[in-house]
């Protein structure tokens, strides 16, 4: 638990940190957490707490790769000022669902486009079930029984199905992209306006490269995450519901057998999601570091040339660049491994049925 008083001092588990520097705070947090990086961390403050102190605490937890970080607010007791380190708290934890709800609130003004996009996603999900239903008449009626009616109707149904699928896919992708770009525009505008109103001390303590990365890269990542979440929630969920309904119509026992793997998939998806969030935060920090280093090298190019420090700067940049490459490869490995594992589990269940 990180408590911030009205003077911007930090208290970790009721012990005061020696100063308010970012590196000192990170060292103190690591000392108390040890190897338990999955342990929940709560940042507690109230309306009288300096804004930059809260932001610095959030930066420290993010740079340390802490996944379960939440904020809690507090009010002074009996309308008076609270003493340092003693808080009357009413915590409001920012869970993953709360964060997604806050992001989705930015899309509320564009609800008409969202409704059209959601209907297109549902139609796209229905075409998957439609194609599965066409497989039996396509194979049996055309290639085995040579049914004249099937020979005429199945090709037309197949063309119509994929025509609707293409239109639905286009509308859903373009609609989510349209809403996503609007959300990015609003987020960037609010962030830029907030940067204009922050005190000079905040800019003295935070490198400009990291601030630029938040304005450019981090906003893109946040909006993309919200768009992907909506797509998974609507299109993939409806695909699962339609396919399960079709399977239950064909064979109830077969459907129940496939439902057995549901809890296993939930555990797997949850573990992969935690891995994604952890790596995404580290990638954001790495992009901020990369932007910061590049900006400093460009602005200080005369100084670098004066001291013939080109080789030294190249070495440092390569280290930063290599860290960024490794983090992106870790993300690619997590993405690449999740789908084959799910397919392997499904194949094992299918082999058991056969």
């Amino acid at each position: 638990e990180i408590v911030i008083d009205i003077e911007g001092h930090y208290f970790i588990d009721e012990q005061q940190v020696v100063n308010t520097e970012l590196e000192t705070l990170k060292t103190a947090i690591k000392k108390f957490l040890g190897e338990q990086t999955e342990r929940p961390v709560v940042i507690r403050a109230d309306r009288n707490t300096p804004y930059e102190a809260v932001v610095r605490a959030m930066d420290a937890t993010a740079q340390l790769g802490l996944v379960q970080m939440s904020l809690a607010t507090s009010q002074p007791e009996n309308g008076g000022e609270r003493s340092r380190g003693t808080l009357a708290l009413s915590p409001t934890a920012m869970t993953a669902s709360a964060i997604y709800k806050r992001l989705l609130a930015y899309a509320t003004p564009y609800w008409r486009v969202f409704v059209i996009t959601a209907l297109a996603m549902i139609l796209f999900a229905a075409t998957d079930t439609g194609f599965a239903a066409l497989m039996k008449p396509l194979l049996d009626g055309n290639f085995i029984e040579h049914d004249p009616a099937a020979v005429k109707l199945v090709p037309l149904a197949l063309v119509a199905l994929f025509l609707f699928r293409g239109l639905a896919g286009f509308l859903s992708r373009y609609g989510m992209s349209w809403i996503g770009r609007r959300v990015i525009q609003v987020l960037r505008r609010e962030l830029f306006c907030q940067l204009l109103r922050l005190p000079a001390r905040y800019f003295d303590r935070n490198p400009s490269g990291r601030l630029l990365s938040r304005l450019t890269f981090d906003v893109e990542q946040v909006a993309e995450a919200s768009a992907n979440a909506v797509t998974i929630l609507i299109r993939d969920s409806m695909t699962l519901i339609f396919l399960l309904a079709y399977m239950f119509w064909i064979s109830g026992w077969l459907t129940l057998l496939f439902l057995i793997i549901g809890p296993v998939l939930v555990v797997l998806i949850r573990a992969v999601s935690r891995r994604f969030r952890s790596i995404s935060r580290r990638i954001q920090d790495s992009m901020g570091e990369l932007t910061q280093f590049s900006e400093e090298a460009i602005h200080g190019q005369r100084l670098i040339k004066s001291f013939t420090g080109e080789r030294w700067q190249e070495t440092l940049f390569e280290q930063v660049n290599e860290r960024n490459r490794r983090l992106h490869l870790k993300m690619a490995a997590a993405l690449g491994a999740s789908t084959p594992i799910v397919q392997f589990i499904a194949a094992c269940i299918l082999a058991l049925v056969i």
Side-chain angles (χ1 to χ4, degrees):
E1 181 179 271
I2 304 172
V3 179
I4 313 173
D5 67 5
I6 58 176
E7 297 177 4
H9 297 131
Y10 299 101
F11 295 82
I12 301 180
D13 288 347
E14 299 182 354
Q15 296 188 27
Q16 184 175 358
V17 181
V18 292
N19 60 54
T20 60
E21 296 298 326
L22 179 61
E23 293 301 324
T24 305
L25 181 59
K26 288 168 59 177
T27 303
I29 295 173
K30 288 199 303 188
K31 177 183 176 182
F32 278 93
L33 289 180
E35 298 297 329
Q36 301 177 1
T37 56
E38 296 293 328
R39 181 179 171 185
V41 176
V42 180
I43 300 174
R44 301 189 184 273
D46 67 12
R47 61 184 180 183
N48 297 318
T49 303
Y51 175 79
E52 59 269 19
V54 179
V55 173
R56 192 180 306 115
M58 295 174 64
D59 285 343
T61 56
Q63 292 180 22
L64 291 173
L66 303 179
V67 177
Q68 301 187 47
M69 187 277 293
S70 60
L71 299 174
T73 57
S74 62
Q75 298 293 337
E77 295 183 13
N78 301 324
E81 292 194 11
R82 54 178 174 77
S83 59
R84 184 168 60 189
T86 60
L87 297 172
L89 296 168
S90 300
T92 307
M94 291 293 291
T95 60
S97 59
I99 293 173
Y100 277 122
K101 287 180 181 178
R102 186 176 178 183
L103 286 173
L104 291 177
Y106 283 93
T108 303
Y110 319 112
W111 65 270
R112 292 182 178 85
V113 179
F114 180 79
V115 169
I116 297 174
T117 304
L119 292 175
M121 289 182 183
I122 295 174
L123 180 60
F124 186 90
T127 57
D128 286 332
T129 307
F131 181 71
L134 275 177
M135 291 302 296
K136 187 177 187 303
L138 176 65
L139 297 176
D140 295 347
N142 286 271
F143 300 106
I144 298 177
E145 299 173 359
H146 299 287
D147 185 3
V151 172
K152 293 179 179 179
L153 296 177
V154 170
L156 295 176
L158 194 63
V159 172
L161 178 69
F162 276 90
L163 176 62
F164 281 113
R165 181 182 176 87
L167 291 174
F170 171 78
L171 287 175
S172 62
R173 288 187 180 90
Y174 185 81
M176 285 309 303
S177 297
W178 190 89
I179 296 173
R181 300 316 302 183
R182 287 286 187 176
V183 171
I184 290 173
Q185 181 185 17
V186 174
L187 285 174
R188 279 196 177 131
R189 182 174 64 245
E190 292 185 358
L191 181 58
F192 183 76
C193 293
Q194 182 65 23
L195 287 173
L196 292 178
R197 289 164 176 80
L198 287 173
R201 290 176 297 171
Y202 181 81
F203 295 94
D204 294 338
R205 294 172 180 173
N206 291 273
S208 58
R210 293 189 182 275
L211 298 180
L212 287 173
S213 178
R214 287 179 185 173
L215 191 61
T216 56
F217 180 76
D218 291 5
V219 171
E220 293 276 352
Q221 292 291 99
V222 168
E224 183 179 355
S226 60
N228 290 339
V230 172
T231 301
I232 293 173
L233 181 65
I234 298 177
R235 190 178 69 187
D236 295 356
S237 298
M238 294 306 299
T239 300
L240 179 63
I241 292 172
F242 289 149
L243 288 175
L244 283 176
Y246 179 66
M247 288 174 60
F248 191 80
W249 181 65
I250 295 176
S251 173
W253 289 109
L254 183 63
T255 306
L256 293 177
L257 186 60
F258 270 92
L259 288 176
I260 295 175
I261 68 173
V264 179
L265 296 179
V266 169
V267 173
L268 176 63
I269 292 171
R270 188 169 183 178
V272 171
S273 298
R274 287 183 177 178
R275 179 68 173 169
F276 284 166
R277 287 197 298 268
S278 176
I279 297 176
S280 294
R281 285 194 177 97
R282 292 164 65 186
I283 288 176
Q284 290 176 2
D285 294 334
S286 176
M287 287 301 299
E289 186 181 11
L290 191 65
T291 306
Q292 172 193 347
F293 191 91
S294 302
E295 184 190 25
E296 290 176 352
I298 292 172
H299 286 296
Q301 51 91 18
R302 292 182 182 273
L303 186 63
I304 294 173
K305 293 175 181 177
S306 300
F307 289 91
T308 62
E310 290 87 352
R311 290 296 180 88
W312 180 56
Q313 289 292 312
E314 288 174 2
T315 302
L316 293 178
F317 181 82
E318 184 58 29
Q319 293 174 359
V320 175
N321 203 21
E322 178 65 17
R323 280 196 295 271
N324 183 265
R325 183 190 69 85
R326 289 180 179 178
L327 287 172
H328 277 282
L329 284 180
K330 287 182 179 180
M331 177 67 80
L335 286 170
S338 59
T339 302
I341 292 175
V342 172
Q343 292 176 348
F344 178 75
I345 295 174
C348 291
I349 297 297
L350 184 61
L352 182 63
V353 172
I354 296 175

